[in-house]
Amino acid sequence: MLGVQPMLKETDVEGILENCRALINQITAALSAEEPFLIVSWVAELQLHLEFAASALEKAAPRR
């Protein structure tokens, strides 16, 4: 599919953002633990989800 993204439905974007919330909760819990830790793959996954959501929302936004 090289660079071609299918059109996303609003529910798809909501799902992506829900994944972001879950990852943020995991990261917050890890950093708030008695002995803080962070799993780098969580941060990378969060970044990927946020970039995907931002791209989808940008494509869905009306052009000026």
Side-chain angles (χ1 to χ4, degrees):
M1 259 175 41
L2 292 177
V4 178
Q5 300 264 342
M7 288 297 273
L8 291 175
K9 298 176 189 172
E10 186 175 336
T11 55
D12 294 334
V13 175
E14 289 171 1
I16 293 167
L17 294 175
E18 187 56 40
N19 288 342
C20 291
R21 287 184 201 97
L23 285 164
I24 289 167
N25 289 338
Q26 287 179 312
I27 292 167
T28 300
L31 294 174
S32 300
E34 194 168 308
E35 293 185 31
F37 67 95
L38 185 61
I39 297 178
V40 176
S41 65
W42 291 349
V43 177
E45 187 176 351
L46 176 60
Q47 180 180 1
L48 179 67
H49 284 297
L50 289 172
E51 289 174 357
F52 194 68
S55 175
L57 293 171
E58 184 177 272
K59 289 176 184 177
R63 303 278 178 193
R64 293 184 187 193

